């Protein structure tokens, strides 16, 4: 039974209001104007008044548009035939494939019961030494890449997607530049990763409201794959655009803003997405990696700030490199004692020395005289930056650890590094 | 779902705020159930009345509201939001409304199901009841009529907290095994009304339990075995304290360590709007950890209230009240209870979300104007009480605060600072420098008495402040521009920081320093700080202190009952005296 209503009483931004009864909160409707049609979702009920956010945007909606309520919330097809497909943020085909309308799952489903979660134990190998060695990514982790505009964050995300040893990749692009979308598509295709990927792409040119749907649909699909025992990596870029879309709708609905115009429930909104990351006891896992661009490179901006309180660490991308300071994987100690016995030592020693090297660099910049140790540190910093930190470096963890030893050996004498003697004997290159 | 004759109709839905038209009288803050048909089953979504205007009541729903329609029925219960208090609470994991999460998992699997509510206590289990009163005895609310064994405690079965005035015990059952629903005693109140006493009772979460004789001033320290707390910024039993800090500074880790080592009987952990992963770690590791005081599992003295960030926001608000009510219940048995709330900012944000939906006039950063009074009222539920039995019981409250941008000038931190007795501020600079616990020793303060001599602490504080000042100066003028005298101040401050204020949580000995050891070691440290050293140049001084620090760190890892402890203590003292001028 579909109920159809005609008279739209208010159009403001992307939100329309219609007089209707027997409508459920969260229900979907189809809004058809003479020139266009779009899906919309109920976001407020007030006596007989029904407010809907129109996914296609308010532009072109006629007051006599036909509004047909569909009797269900947002749903998405789920099966293995999603793999290799590309959809819009709203879940419609963006490639030339068929629309998938059967086997539907609910989007934005209930949260996982905390007692059914397990403490994660498996590492996600990315082939990027700054992650694998220094801030290991762990299955079921939720981690954002904090970056300012202009940094190659999408390149980093794409590289992790291609190399990560996971079964399924689900990518949601929010407010993505069309070039970036093509970049993701081509890169995944070239490396043969497209066949195990599903893409939900909302580009900057698409209506704002769809931007809100993209991460929810992607996470629902990712969760469904994980429930079937797959190890899933879900990539969301860029969450700041998602938050800006939230802000836009909240302001249209005349909600009282909290900080810098963002709605008061920003934390809860972000948390309900990030907390989808999970390791199911007896099924698969879902790892969530996102991009959060920091407006003005300011980490106290509400979006990165709220994100930092939710996620299990963060990667700072600065100057084209993953910053060793500030970047943190809160879960790394769960896995990095099971990789190779020199892993933790290499991780600690190289960072401590790099911190010292940075001080030496400052000293040099201020015109102080360099002593022998300072010169060694400067050599070390140069090698570390070019052979380890550079984003183009692509090594399995074991090779990256070996390279770490090689860098140390080329920069210092073996007794200068404060590494336990037993490890020196075993690993210091001859 | 409870049966009710008072039925209202939904008039509006926006987020988790539902407006209901009613005909019969309603009560502010009473519980209502919003009826919904979902996948063929009828469920009632629990909700609470939070505002009444004319014939319309605004209710906040503790569940997602999608699928609700205008005209749907809402059943008012007339009862305030309550929890069930009785034996069997210890060791359990509840959500913010006291639903046992294990029971939900057994029924619904991986996900939470809305509208599913379970009894928090096992109604089948029989408890061995031992009476401790005689018929004819005069009793007051909160006085025991008997007790049942729970974990290592005797769980008191008390005259209901709500009973007014004195009452007379009419009858009492014999010693034996009873379920929580069986009547074990009957009392007659002043109005000659009979009241049945069972092993459990209900109590509304937002009203403090006041069935005690008087409030006392918190004077006894609660040792946490964390030196920078116990010595420097102590917390008293029955005191309240807060831990504000930016993300990544170690709030949750500090709470976890405290929950393990604190010298209390019962710990209630309220994971309020934080990461699920962290509470999972507690749920999975506590059963395997041993309580050093009893040798039993730590879980046996712990209750976890778990309303993580993706769970509904309204029950996040309820969760801190649920937690404090359970804590008060165990206090009534003369126990020392510690409530750890992580994080109170998420609870304040829940208030802000509801306030926004109610379209109230916003205060600073859109928090409601009543934020301060609500925060104050919550912390006031901590305290040490003399009970009607003459025993004392205490609730100590430690709340973390997650200030936006790590800036302590924001409303939640400020509202909290006004009411707490101790402030343990975590600093990003200290955690970046890997100085743990990252509590700022200069900014933090406490009004409570600690485990060591306050005069010694004051002296150490002064020295630390001076030393850090010198350190800052040195960054500008370099080593060369600093006098040898100042340089010693700097070295002493760094020494105090390194060997006493910092603590290696992973080391079994250094990670947990009891009060005796703190008094003894702090005495030694104070002695060293007061010495006048004779080194003639900075390099020699620095070498001496580096070596001393290294030795002292090894000393920190030696148990106090080890024979090497005294040797090492003596050798450190001698070594320092040899390098110092006679006073």
């Amino acid at each position: 039974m579909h109920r159809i209503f005609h008279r739209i009483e208010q159009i403001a931004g992307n939100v329309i209001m219609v007089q209707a009864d027997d409508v459920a909160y969260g229900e979907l409707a189809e809004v058809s104007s003479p020139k266009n049609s779009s899906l919309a979702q109920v976001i407020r009920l007030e006596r007989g008044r029904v407010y809907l956010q129109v996914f296609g945007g308010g532009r072109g909606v006629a007051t006599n548009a036909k509004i047909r309520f569909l009797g269900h919330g947002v749903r998405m097809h789920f099966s293995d035939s999603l793999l290799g497909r590309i959809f819009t943020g709203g879940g419609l085909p963006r490639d030339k494939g068929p629309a998938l309308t059967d086997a539907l799952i609910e989007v934005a489903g209930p949260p996982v019961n905390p007692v059914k979660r397990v403490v994660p134990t498996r590492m996600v190998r990315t082939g990027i030494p700054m992650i694998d060695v220094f801030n290991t990514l762990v299955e079921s982790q939720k981690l954002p890449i904090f970056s300012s505009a202009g940094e190659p964050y999408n390149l980093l995300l794409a590289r992790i997607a291609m190399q990560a040893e996971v079964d399924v990749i689900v990518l949601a692009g929010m407010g993505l530049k069309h070039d970036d979308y093509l970049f993701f598509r081509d890169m995944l295709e070239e490396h043969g990763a497209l066949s195990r990927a599903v893409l939900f792409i909302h580009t900057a040119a698409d209506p704002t409201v769809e931007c809100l749907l993209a991460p929810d649909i992607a996470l629902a699909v990712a969760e469904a794959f994980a429930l079937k025992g797959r190890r899933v990596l879900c990539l969301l870029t860029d969450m700041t655009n998602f938050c800006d879309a939230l802000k836009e709708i909240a302001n249209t609905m005349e909600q009282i803003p909290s900080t810098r115009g963002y709605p008061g429930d920003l934390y809860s909104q972000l948390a309900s997405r990030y907390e989808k990351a999970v390791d199911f006891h007896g099924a698969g896992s879902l790892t969530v990696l996102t991009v959060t661009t920091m407006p003005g490179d300011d980490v106290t901006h509400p979006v990165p700030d709220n994100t930092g309180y939710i996620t299990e660490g963060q990667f700072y991308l600065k100057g084209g490199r993953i910053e060793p300071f500030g970047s943190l994987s809160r879960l790394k100690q769960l896995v990095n004692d099971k990789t190779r016995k020199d892993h933790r030592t290499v991780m600690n020693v190289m960072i401590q020395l790099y911190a010292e090297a940075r001080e030496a660099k400052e000293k040099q910049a201020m015109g102080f005289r360099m002593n022998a140790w300072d010169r060694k540190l400067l050599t070390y910093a140069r090698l570390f930056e070019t052979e380890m930190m550079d984003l183009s470096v692509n090594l399995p963890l074991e090779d990256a650890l070996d390279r770490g030893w090689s860098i140390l050996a080329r920069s210092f004498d073996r007794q200068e590094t404060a590494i336990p003697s037993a490890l020196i004997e075993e690993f210091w290159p001859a | 779902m409870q049966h009710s004759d008072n039925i209202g109709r939904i008039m509006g839905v926006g987020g988790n705020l539902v407006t209901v038209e009613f005909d019969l009288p309603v009560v502010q803050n009473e519980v209502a159930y919003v009826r919904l048909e979902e996948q063929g089953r009828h469920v009632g979504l629990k909700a609470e009345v939070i505002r009444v205007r004319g014939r319309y009541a605004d209710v906040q729903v503790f569940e997602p509201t999608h699928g609700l329609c205008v005209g749907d029925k809402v059943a008012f219960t007339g009862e305030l939001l309550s929890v069930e208090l009785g034996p069997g609470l210890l060791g359990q994991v509840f959500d913010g409304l006291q639903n046992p999460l294990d029971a939900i998992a057994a029924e619904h699997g991986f996900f939470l199901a809305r509208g599913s509510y379970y009894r928090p206590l096992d109604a089948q289990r029989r408890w061995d009841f031992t009476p401790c009163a005689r018929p004819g005895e005069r009793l007051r609310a909160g006085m025991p009529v008997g007790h049942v064994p729970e974990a290592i405690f005797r769980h008191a079965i008390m005259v209901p907290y709500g009973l007014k005035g004195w009452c007379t015990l009419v009858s009492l059952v014999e010693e034996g095994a009873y379920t929580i629903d069986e009547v074990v005693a009957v009392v007659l109140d002043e109005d000659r009304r009979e009241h049945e006493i069972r092993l459990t009772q209900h109590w509304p979460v937002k009203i403090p339990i006041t069935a005690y004789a008087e409030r006392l001033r918190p004077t006894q320290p609660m040792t946490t075995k964390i030196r920078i707390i116990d010595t420097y910024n102590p917390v008293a039993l029955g005191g309240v304290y807060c831990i504000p800090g930016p993300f990544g500074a170690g709030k949750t880790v500090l709470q976890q360590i405290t929950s393990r080592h604190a010298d209390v009987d019962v710990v209630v952990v309220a994971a309020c709007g934080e990461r699920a992963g962290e509470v999972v770690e507690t749920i999975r590791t506590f059963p395997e950890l041993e309580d050093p005081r009893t040798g039993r599992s730590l879980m046996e003295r712990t209750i976890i209230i778990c309303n993580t960030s993706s769970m509904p926001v309204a029950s996040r608000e309820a969760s801190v009240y649920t937690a404090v009510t359970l804590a008060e219940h165990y206090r009534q048995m003369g126990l020392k209870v510690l409530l750890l709330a992580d994080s109170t900012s998420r609870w304040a944000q829940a208030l802000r979300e509801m306030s926004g939906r109610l379209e109230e006039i916003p205060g600073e950063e859109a928090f409601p104007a009543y934020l301060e009074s609500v925060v104050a009222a919550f912390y006031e539920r901590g305290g040490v009480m003399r009970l009607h039995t003459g025993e004392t019981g205490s609730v100590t409250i430690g709340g973390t605060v997650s200030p936006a941008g790590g800036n302590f000038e924001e409303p939640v931190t400020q509202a909290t600072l006004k009411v707490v007795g101790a402030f343990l501020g975590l600093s990003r600079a200290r955690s970046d420098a890997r100085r743990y616990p990252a509590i700022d020793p200069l900014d933090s303060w406490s009004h409570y008495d600690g485990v060591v001599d306050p005069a010694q602490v004051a002296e150490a504080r002064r020295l630390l402040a001076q030393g850090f000042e010198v350190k800052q100066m040195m960054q500008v003028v370099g080593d060369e521009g600093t006098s040898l005298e100042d340089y010693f101040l700097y070295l002493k401050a760094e020494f105090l920081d390194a060997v006493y204020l910092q603590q290696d949580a992973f080391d079994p000995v250094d990670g947990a320093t009891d009060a005796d050891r703190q008094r003894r070691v702090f005495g030694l440290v104070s002695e060293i700080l007061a010495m006048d050293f004779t080194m003639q140049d900075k390099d020699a001084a620095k070498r001496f202190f580096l070596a001393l620090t290294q030795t002292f760190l090894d000393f920190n890892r030696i148990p106090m009952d080890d024979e090497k402890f005294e040797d090492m203590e003596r050798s450190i003292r001698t070594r320092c005296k040899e390098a110092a001028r006679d006073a």
Side-chain angles (χ1 to χ4, degrees), chain B residues 68-365:
Chain B
L68 296 180
C69 298
V70 168
D72 280 355
K73 293 205 165 51
V74 178
F76 294 98
T77 63
E79 303 285 336
L80 301 185
L81 186 66
S82 301
V83 286
E84 186 169 20
L85 303 169
L89 292 169
L90 292 177
Q92 289 224 58
V93 183
F94 296 114
D95 74 0
L97 302 174
Q98 213 197 6
N99 284 300
L101 287 174
D102 283 316
I104 298 178
E107 184 101 350
H108 297 282
F110 286 127
F111 296 97
L112 296 171
R114 62 176 175 163
S116 298
Y117 306 110
Y118 296 88
R119 188 151 184 203
L121 300 172
D122 185 350
Q124 310 301 321
R125 181 164 169 189
R126 292 185 163 276
W127 297 85
D128 292 322
F129 176 76
T130 311
C132 71
R134 278 182 316 278
E137 211 170 306
R138 304 261 289 152
L139 297 167
R140 297 195 66 172
M143 290 174 85
V145 297
H147 46 81
V148 300
E150 183 187 12
I152 60 159
F153 308 110
R154 294 199 311 190
H155 190 116
I157 306 306
M158 293 170 272
V159 176
Y161 297 137
L163 205 118
K164 290 197 173 60
W166 288 91
C167 61
T168 313
L169 186 61
V170 177
S171 66
L172 187 66
V173 293
E174 308 248 303
E175 189 170 336
Y178 300 91
T179 65
I180 50 173
D181 290 326
E182 284 175 85
V183 175
V184 293
V186 176
V187 292
L188 204 61
D189 70 10
E190 284 172 349
D191 300 330
R192 307 209 54 78
R193 271 200 309 260
E194 283 199 347
H195 297 270
E196 293 176 333
I197 298 178
R198 296 175 171 80
L199 299 191
T200 74
Q201 57 173 313
H202 287 84
W203 186 258
V205 294
K206 288 185 181 165
I207 297 174
I209 297 173
T210 52
Y212 51 78
E214 62 171 334
R215 273 185 90 119
L216 306 172
R217 208 167 68 81
T219 47
Q220 239 197 317
M222 176 188 82
T223 39
T224 61
K225 299 193 177 176
I226 300 166
R227 295 189 290 256
I228 194 169
I229 297 179
D230 296 349
T231 302
Y232 239 65
N233 300 293
V235 176
L237 283 169
V240 292
Y241 66 103
C242 69
I243 310 174
F247 62 80
K251 287 183 297 297
T252 305
V253 175
L254 193 61
Q255 292 279 56
Q256 281 176 349
I257 295 173
T258 313
S259 63
R260 283 179 202 185
H261 296 307
D263 182 22
V264 292
D265 300 312
V266 172
V267 177
V268 183
V269 177
C272 170
E274 288 285 304
R275 302 177 186 94
E278 284 163 357
V279 68
V280 170
E281 215 176 302
T282 308
I283 294 172
R284 302 270 171 209
T285 56
F286 266 38
E288 282 145 39
L289 290 173
E290 190 182 276
D291 183 350
R293 302 178 320 137
T294 61
R296 313 265 294 255
S297 148
L298 259 185
M299 200 63 198
E300 282 188 19
R301 69 158 194 178
T302 310
I303 304 172
I304 298 175
I305 308 292
C306 167
N307 203 93
T308 58
S309 56
S310 60
M311 290 160 77
V313 67
S315 43
R316 189 193 300 166
E317 194 237 330
S319 68
V320 295
Y321 291 108
T322 298
V324 76
T325 310
L326 299 189
E328 285 175 338
H329 176 61
Y330 281 92
R331 175 201 71 199
Q332 289 296 118
M333 299 168 206
L335 298 176
K336 295 179 280 188
V337 188
L338 172 64
L339 165 64
L340 295 168
D342 186 15
S343 142
T344 57
S345 291
R346 307 296 160 230
W347 162 55
Q349 284 179 341
L351 290 177
R352 175 167 75 182
E353 281 184 33
M354 277 329 293
S355 169
R357 294 234 162 78
L358 290 169
E359 298 180 343
E360 292 171 340
I361 294 168
E364 205 181 335
E365 288 185 28

Side-chain angles (χ1 to χ4, degrees), chain A residues 25 43-44, chain B residues 13-18 61 63-66 68 357:
Chain A
Y25 184 72
I43 55 169
R44 183 184 287 173
Chain B
V13 186
N16 65 340
L17 184 74
V18 171
V61 184
E63 309 271 2
T65 51
H66 55 87
L68 296 180
R357 294 234 162 78

